[in-house]
Amino acid sequence: MIDRALVLGGGSAGFLAAITLAKKVPGLTVRVVRSPTIGVIGVGEGTTAAFPRHLFNYQGLDAGDFYRSVQPTWKLGIRCIWGSGPDFFYPFAEEFSRPIDGLTKKPGFYDAPEGSDWLGPTSALMSKGKVFARQPDGKPDLKTPHAFHIENELLVGYLEKVARSLGVEITDGTVTSVETGPTRASGREEAGVSALVLDTGERLTADLFVDASGFRSALLGEALGVGRVSYTDSLFCDRAVIGRWERTDEPTPAYTTAETMDHGWAWRIEHERWVNRGYVFSSSFVSDDEAEAELRRKNPKLTGDTRVVGFRSYRLETMWSGNVVGIGNASGFVEPLEATALQAICVQCSTLADVLADSSREPTVSLVAHYNRYNTTQWDDIRDFLSIHFRYNDKLDTPFWKACRSDVAIHGAQPVVDFYRENGPSTLLAGLILAPTNSFGFQGYYSMLAGQRVPCDRTYDAPAGEQQAWSQWIGKVGDWAAAGMDTAEVIGFFRGVGWWPGG
Ligand SMILES: Cc1cc2nc3c(=O)[nH]c(=O)nc-3n(C[C@H](O)[C@H](O)[C@H](O)COP(=O)(O)OP(=O)(O)OC[C@H]3O[C@@H](n4cnc5c(N)ncnc54)[C@H](O)[C@@H]3O)c2cc1C
């Protein structure tokens, strides 16, 4: 039976794992070991709607405490400066599949009325510079599906505080050697980790080790030699140059911006006090200095220091081997174009906790196999979805983008692209083409395919009556969104009530 879990790593992956295990697995004691000399990666600011679901719905953490500690801003989706057409939105809401009175087809088939760039309420809020609808009593309506922009340092500090409050023991020390040996923690005898030796001389044992050591993958990758599946045939970028400036009079929209750059793309993330920008690029096409110069040229307000972070796009061949489970960058990484790292961490943490709780801390061979299948598929799904961002973006004709359009492998995205090309944005039989576990679904795929103007055979010339009904609906949604609250108003409201309505 697994009685003691040891989490190696005190970044967002390590603390999210520790909290989830401490909260959801009765009888398990949890310890975190983190190095005072090897820092956390310190980036990771965008999230998806899976993140608040994990914290508040699955774990039941106190939302008020989170808001007060992390001071997030809200994110309803992504604004894409992408493809040769106009900018478009990818909202965290089902807008392609929503039936609308008076229309015989789903929204994606109708032309956007003049001056509108939304298909539904969430994209309308983003387009109008709003975050939430205003309720009759003046409060923001938080029901709109949303995620957060958060600063990594504040998030890690908050997670550490929650971990301590749940009785998680935190040890500062650097692992200098890893002892390996046979284990039965995966339901059968396999090679695993028997102890970690710290620079303090302490020797730590556990029944289960969670490897959240970041890119080095100290336990699964280095000690157990689990192989890596490279994603570089789909994702060519391997570095990012990051900078920020202090917000002055800029509005704070409720979306992340993803902007096409000469040799990659750049995020723009809106914090209350800071505007953060990061240029993700491929070192095969541009040097660090040239990338930094392009970022500064396109962002004249960026006058302070920048820093460069290198990465590789990959996942481990297996996420649970012997008595070691990898979570976060230690198990896989893709560039943050859809801000999926914290989402992947949340899924890994919840499936691990569920497996341990469901098996009364005695996981079986089949449960471990399912864990591995689910989590490796999760990473591959993300790789597939990102691949279509590169393969079909025809905004620029630089060598990087030409190479993307001719060489990016789209793997599991191919059936969705084929279906879209033949049927247009039809959402029929969605569950047969994309597994229900695919976190992007047709909504995500069609936002990107239609937004990038990928041609399809099936278009719809709507009769005048239908086009009129559509224009009226879009107009109504636009008016509703325009009457909503912007980020500054919602922050003002939250401050007034002590950062949480009722808190
Ligand atoms: C450029 C870039 C942009 C990103 N943007 C986003 C984003 O917008 N959204 C998103 O969700 N994610 C994003 N990410 C990913 C995100 O930053 C990480 O996935 C997330 O923070 C988890 O990191 P981690 O905890 O796995 O690793 P880290 O933060 O690197 O933590 C590793 C931990 O392991 C410890 N450790 C390592 N070796 C040892 C040792 N030998 N002994 C003891 N302790 C050890 C360290 O001390 C540290 O505590 C981005 C990543 C990059 C590179």
Side-chain angles (χ1 to χ4, degrees):
M1 181 179 291
I2 293 172
D3 293 324
R4 296 171 305 142
L6 190 156
V7 178
L8 176 62
S12 39
F15 278 122
L16 272 165
I19 291 169
T20 314
L21 293 177
K23 258 209 127 60
K24 303 294 279 192
V25 188
L28 185 70
T29 58
V30 184
R31 177 178 207 166
V32 169
V33 175
R34 52 138 185 231
S35 167
T37 51
I38 306 168
V40 300
I41 192 164
V43 279
E45 311 167 82
T47 59
T48 69
F51 181 72
R53 269 201 308 272
H54 179 82
L55 291 192
F56 310 136
N57 302 354
Y58 176 78
Q59 295 216 48
L61 296 182
D62 175 40
D65 185 31
F66 170 82
Y67 273 85
R68 276 187 294 277
S69 309
V70 181
Q71 311 228 344
T73 56
W74 297 270
K75 172 182 174 187
L76 305 185
I78 300 172
R79 172 174 166 242
C80 304
I81 306 177
W82 214 266
S84 55
D87 304 352
F88 60 93
F89 293 107
Y90 167 23
F92 295 144
E94 284 295 333
E95 297 191 342
F96 275 91
S97 58
R98 169 194 286 258
I100 291 169
D101 282 350
L103 305 188
T104 55
K105 289 181 180 285
K106 296 288 169 58
F109 281 101
Y110 297 86
D111 292 334
E114 187 69 28
S116 68
D117 59 356
W118 56 92
L119 272 189
T122 303
S123 47
L125 284 167
M126 289 192 275
S127 179
K128 300 286 182 188
K130 307 295 182 184
V131 51
F132 294 122
R134 192 187 310 272
Q135 299 190 95
D137 60 3
K139 291 181 182 165
D141 182 355
L142 304 179
K143 283 199 292 297
T144 300
H146 61 272
F148 299 120
H149 292 133
I150 41 182
E151 294 185 51
N152 187 266
E153 207 185 316
L154 289 178
L155 175 67
V156 174
Y158 159 76
L159 294 173
E160 177 176 345
K161 180 184 75 174
V162 175
R164 286 188 193 279
S165 74
L166 292 169
V168 172
E169 188 182 340
I170 300 173
T171 303
D172 287 320
T174 301
V175 173
T176 49
S177 69
V178 179
E179 295 173 12
T180 54
T183 167
R184 294 198 60 84
S186 58
R188 64 168 168 229
E189 186 159 307
E190 270 191 293
V193 166
S194 37
L196 306 182
V197 181
L198 305 187
D199 56 353
T200 55
E202 216 176 337
R203 182 178 175 277
L204 303 177
T205 59
D207 305 314
L208 181 81
F209 292 85
V210 173
D211 187 352
S213 62
F215 286 137
R216 63 194 312 139
S217 192
L219 305 184
L220 270 185
E222 285 179 6
L224 295 187
V226 172
R228 294 180 185 235
V229 176
S230 171
Y231 285 161
T232 52
D233 62 340
S234 299
L235 305 174
F236 297 170
C237 295
D238 56 2
R239 298 179 81 69
V241 54
I242 300 165
R244 68 179 184 176
W245 65 85
E246 196 153 0
R247 182 179 293 286
T248 52
D249 55 354
E250 301 94 339
T252 312
Y255 50 73
T256 298
T257 303
E259 177 184 4
T260 306
M261 300 284 273
D262 291 354
H263 315 282
W265 64 277
W267 74 76
R268 175 178 167 132
I269 287 187
E270 315 285 348
H271 298 296
E272 188 185 1
R273 185 164 161 220
W274 301 100
V275 177
N276 286 14
R277 295 232 61 173
Y279 179 3
V280 178
F281 59 93
S282 164
S283 61
S284 304
F285 291 84
V286 68
S287 69
D288 289 359
D289 288 348
E290 288 165 325
E292 194 208 15
E294 187 189 347
L295 185 67
R296 287 191 188 277
R297 196 172 65 248
K298 292 179 175 170
N299 296 279
K301 288 189 171 176
L302 181 56
T303 51
D305 291 345
T306 59
R307 70 174 171 127
V308 174
V309 183
F311 58 83
R312 57 207 268 199
S313 299
Y314 83 103
R315 72 160 163 85
L316 289 181
E317 280 170 359
T318 180
M319 307 273 154
W320 181 330
S321 186
N323 61 347
V324 184
V325 180
I327 290 189
N329 294 356
S331 67
F333 184 78
V334 297
E335 62 202 87
L337 185 44
E338 289 290 343
T340 41
L342 285 164
Q343 168 181 313
I345 290 168
C346 292
V347 172
Q348 290 175 319
C349 290
S350 58
T351 43
L352 175 60
D354 290 346
V355 164
L356 292 178
D358 197 63
S359 64
S360 305
R361 291 185 274 122
E362 292 192 62
T364 57
V365 171
S366 53
L367 274 174
V368 172
H370 275 83
Y371 178 92
N372 275 323
R373 186 166 154 221
Y374 184 43
N375 282 292
T376 53
T377 304
Q378 174 191 209
W379 279 107
D380 293 349
D381 285 348
I382 299 171
R383 182 268 321 265
D384 295 347
F385 185 53
L386 295 194
S387 74
I388 66 161
H389 297 56
F390 291 101
R391 180 69 178 265
Y392 301 109
N393 182 356
D394 57 0
K395 195 169 198 68
L396 296 178
D397 274 333
T398 58
F400 171 82
W401 285 106
K402 283 185 183 163
C404 287
R405 290 196 289 273
S406 67
D407 299 337
V408 160
I410 67 170
H411 296 276
Q414 191 69 55
V416 195
V417 174
D418 292 345
F419 185 82
Y420 174 80
R421 284 191 185 281
E422 205 165 275
N423 302 292
S426 164
T427 52
L428 278 186
L429 306 175
L432 292 182
I433 296 163
L434 285 172
T437 49
N438 187 298
S439 58
F440 308 104
F442 269 20
Q443 173 64 39
Y445 270 93
Y446 287 174
S447 293
M448 292 312 302
L449 292 172
Q452 292 177 99
R453 300 283 194 269
V454 174
C456 58
D457 297 339
R458 182 58 55 86
T459 54
Y460 183 52
D461 193 8
E466 277 194 48
Q467 189 58 42
Q468 196 189 4
W470 173 239
S471 296
Q472 277 170 356
W473 190 82
I474 283 290
K476 232 168 63 188
V477 170
D479 292 345
W480 168 87
M485 299 169 78
D486 65 20
T487 301
E489 275 185 283
V490 180
I491 287 178
F493 168 80
F494 267 75
R495 287 236 158 80
V497 294
W499 275 99
W500 184 248

